[in-house]
Amino acid sequence: MIKIFQKITLLSALLLTLGFTACDEYLGVIPKGEKIPETLADFEAMIRYEYGNHRVDVNQALILLNDQWVSPSSLSYYPLYEANYFWDESADRVALNNSDETTYYASYSAINAFNLIISNALTSTEASESEQKEVWAQAKVLRAMTYFNLVNYYADTYEAATASEKLSVPLITSADVNAAYTQVTIQEMYDFILTDMEEALPYLPEVAATVLHPNLGTAYAFYARVYLQMNNYDKALEFANKALDESDVLFDWTTYYEANKDLITNPDSYIRTASPMGFDYIENYSYRHGSTYYSSSEKSLTTERAASFEEGDARFLSRWKLRTVGADTYYYGTLQGYFNYGGITTVEVYLIKAECLARSGDVNGAMEVLNAVRKTRILPEEYSDLTAANTAGAMAKIIQTKRNELILTLTPFCDIRRLNQEGTYSITLSKVVDGETLTLSPESHMWTMPFPQGAIDNPGNGSMVQNVEK
């Protein structure tokens, strides 16, 4: 863990020197000059530091899912990309993962900042007690969200029967350099996440200062995500309903498509249109960056992945267009701007609710929720209500819709791991490459990502064990 703390120390020094200046005018943080953080505004500015503390880089999960197209040059240059993209179970990903460290170190740098807020916000100056508790609570939610991402990336998925036996990730609650830590079990990590949320909930506002600051809707939506991952469908449904009571707005992609149709459908144009999925996306409960953290275009999709979207899906049609460049044919990302790949949106909560209703036996209710989402996505000339005769039929439609809606985020990776562990709705990925059929089975060890070698080689004031052999 020495390497973690070296990176965190550098980040902390930069934050203090720059006065926690954010890089985007949207958030409007004013530089304060060189100073030691004392006021609540000093600590709250760390929440606004979006590029350092709100980055959810899960690139290898996206590659494993084949949720993005990877160029032949990248595959040949990065052996870890190639191993995950082609589901090479013989590859030693532990040995190959000696440089792909962003997921790990960016997450722990953010956790360090949240730990610093949690340790000091309640005694900070120039603020009322209620203001102190609000920032303290928001840091707790963000820490819980970051640990959830880590445990669902580097550890096996949650299973009640084994969660107390299997290790997860290092649990660090102090911002002190070289603080002692423990690599806790999966159950201990989930208990910690739920405790953070329970302690934070009473002090969260209904409306927060920015979309980076968690509010009640954020907390309820995240609770729903956590309980779904734990297979606790009653609690997931309870919190999904609470989140939707706070905000249930869906973006109408059919309207967006019609407004940009001439450009979208022009076969000779690859000019990008503005992304609506940035800071002010109406579906946002919270905003966090994905693998990229600056204004950019979306990742391209493979033709196989694109084929899984519904006919007339305006959200898909507005985001990707078939393109051939030399020997490569793929679906080119046609939006430019910011994308909420790491936060939580209303559509995810709708689909959590749909799954929970289906599992409870309310198939009609589940399909009603699913169709409420689809009406804002599927072009009117292609739309018809989906129906299901039973839970299995409803689940198949909900699972596929959710995979498409949350593409390029960590959620599909979490969902497939969860479904595979359960066994009832397991998913085997397959594709044909050069005439050979490749598959990724539900039992594959590749569903757990290896820790970076640097973290294992430099454990610092604790000890770490790899969670996967290769």
Side-chain angles (χ1 to χ4, degrees):
M1 298 290 283
I2 292 173
K3 196 168 184 181
I4 289 180
F5 292 115
Q6 289 173 339
K7 291 174 181 280
I8 288 174
T9 301
L10 176 60
L11 173 65
S12 299
L14 287 171
L15 286 173
L16 293 176
T17 301
L18 297 176
F20 315 107
T21 305
C23 301
D24 194 278
E25 293 181 358
Y26 172 82
L27 298 173
V29 179
I30 301 172
K32 298 179 182 298
E34 296 182 16
K35 63 178 296 183
I36 301 298
E38 296 178 350
T39 70
L40 184 65
D42 294 332
F43 294 106
E44 186 267 347
M46 296 181 191
I47 293 178
R48 295 174 182 256
Y49 184 56
E50 56 173 295
Y51 300 144
N53 296 331
H54 293 273
R55 185 175 178 185
V56 184
D57 190 319
V58 293
N59 196 46
Q60 292 306 316
L62 307 184
I63 291 173
L64 185 77
L65 290 175
N66 278 213
D67 272 1
Q68 68 180 68
W69 176 76
V70 184
S71 69
S73 60
S74 292
L75 292 173
S76 63
Y77 189 80
Y78 300 106
L80 183 62
Y81 285 31
E82 184 178 38
N84 284 325
Y85 197 63
F86 292 118
W87 308 324
D88 182 2
E89 295 192 325
S90 67
D92 187 349
R93 296 183 305 159
V94 171
L96 296 178
N97 194 18
N98 56 10
S99 61
D100 193 73
E101 303 173 325
T102 304
T103 304
Y104 192 82
Y105 292 122
S107 296
Y108 277 105
S109 290
I111 286 169
N112 178 262
F114 303 141
N115 285 341
L116 191 64
I117 297 170
I118 292 164
S119 297
N120 294 280
L122 297 181
T123 57
S124 61
T125 62
E126 299 181 22
S128 67
E129 182 179 356
S130 63
E131 290 170 334
Q132 291 173 334
K133 287 182 177 178
E134 180 177 315
V135 171
W136 174 85
Q138 289 170 331
K140 284 229 163 196
V141 173
L142 290 168
R143 183 172 69 178
M145 292 173 68
T146 306
Y147 271 125
F148 178 87
N149 294 334
L150 284 168
V151 73
N152 280 284
Y153 192 85
Y154 290 114
D156 289 349
T157 196
Y158 183 89
E159 182 181 7
T162 61
S164 296
E165 303 167 4
K166 293 183 177 181
L167 291 176
S168 64
V169 299
L171 177 59
I172 304 173
T173 59
S174 172
D176 294 340
V177 174
N178 207 34
Y181 71 90
T182 302
Q183 185 180 1
V184 298
T185 66
I186 295 172
Q187 185 64 59
E188 288 172 324
M189 181 55 74
Y190 272 84
D191 289 344
F192 178 82
I193 289 168
L194 291 173
T195 297
D196 256 2
M197 295 301 298
E198 181 181 359
E199 293 175 350
L201 196 62
Y203 308 109
L204 294 171
E206 292 186 9
V207 179
T210 77
V211 74
L212 300 179
H213 294 70
N215 59 18
L216 273 176
T218 310
Y220 292 146
F222 179 62
Y223 258 129
R225 178 188 283 178
V226 173
Y227 279 121
L228 184 72
Q229 201 65 27
M230 297 177 73
N231 304 308
N232 189 334
Y233 307 115
D234 289 341
K235 295 294 286 186
L237 178 59
E238 174 190 339
F239 282 103
N241 282 328
K242 287 183 176 182
L244 292 172
D245 284 342
E246 294 296 318
S247 176
D248 62 357
V249 183
L250 291 168
F251 183 78
D252 193 337
W253 281 93
T254 65
T255 300
Y256 180 90
Y257 175 83
E258 290 299 331
N260 296 278
K261 185 175 181 179
D262 290 344
L263 188 60
I264 290 169
T265 58
N266 184 344
D268 299 319
S269 174
Y270 289 93
I271 297 173
R272 293 189 171 104
T273 54
S275 165
M277 295 182 289
F279 302 110
D280 57 355
Y281 189 41
I282 62 172
E283 294 187 0
N284 288 342
Y285 287 115
S286 69
Y287 181 96
R288 304 190 86 182
H289 293 282
S291 297
T292 55
Y293 56 96
Y294 46 84
S295 183
S296 65
S297 59
E298 291 205 89
K299 297 177 184 292
S300 297
L301 306 186
T302 65
T303 55
E304 294 90 349
R305 185 66 180 86
S308 69
F309 286 80
E310 275 195 70
E311 193 71 26
D313 187 332
R315 189 170 184 267
F316 168 76
L317 295 171
S318 299
R319 295 171 69 182
W320 293 282
K321 181 184 290 188
L322 187 66
R323 188 174 194 179
T324 298
V325 179
D328 300 322
T329 297
Y330 52 88
Y331 275 80
Y332 173 82
T334 58
L335 295 184
Q336 177 79 29
Y338 292 92
F339 303 89
N340 188 6
Y341 292 141
I344 307 180
T345 57
T346 55
V347 70
E348 178 181 350
V349 177
Y350 271 96
L351 296 171
I352 289 174
K353 178 175 181 175
E355 177 177 340
C356 294
L357 289 173
R359 288 179 179 276
S360 73
D362 186 0
V363 172
N364 290 337
M367 299 310 291
E368 182 178 343
V369 173
L370 176 61
N371 287 323
V373 170
R374 293 178 61 252
K375 285 172 184 174
T376 65
R377 270 56 176 170
I378 309 303
L379 297 173
E381 59 269 26
E382 301 287 348
Y383 181 85
S384 62
D385 282 347
L386 290 179
T387 60
N390 50 41
T391 295
M395 284 291 294
K397 294 177 173 65
I398 294 164
I399 290 167
Q400 189 58 47
T401 299
K402 193 177 180 189
R403 279 193 67 192
N404 290 339
E405 282 289 333
L406 280 299
I407 192 170
L408 302 181
T409 74
L410 183 62
T411 299
F413 182 73
C414 295
D415 279 348
I416 295 176
R417 282 160 41 101
R418 171 175 60 87
L419 295 166
N420 287 346
Q421 176 274 317
E422 178 195 18
T424 306
Y425 306 104
S426 300
I427 294 174
T428 297
L429 301 182
S430 65
K431 63 180 177 181
V432 177
V433 178
D434 297 331
E436 179 184 0
T437 300
L438 305 181
T439 60
L440 181 64
S441 74
E443 296 79 23
S444 175
H445 68 274
M446 299 188 79
W447 289 107
T448 298
M449 295 294 168
F451 289 124
Q453 196 60 47
I456 297 296
D457 292 342
N458 299 283
N461 195 7
S463 61
M464 287 184 63
V465 177
Q466 271 288 4
N467 288 327
V468 63
E469 290 185 7
K470 60 183 181 179

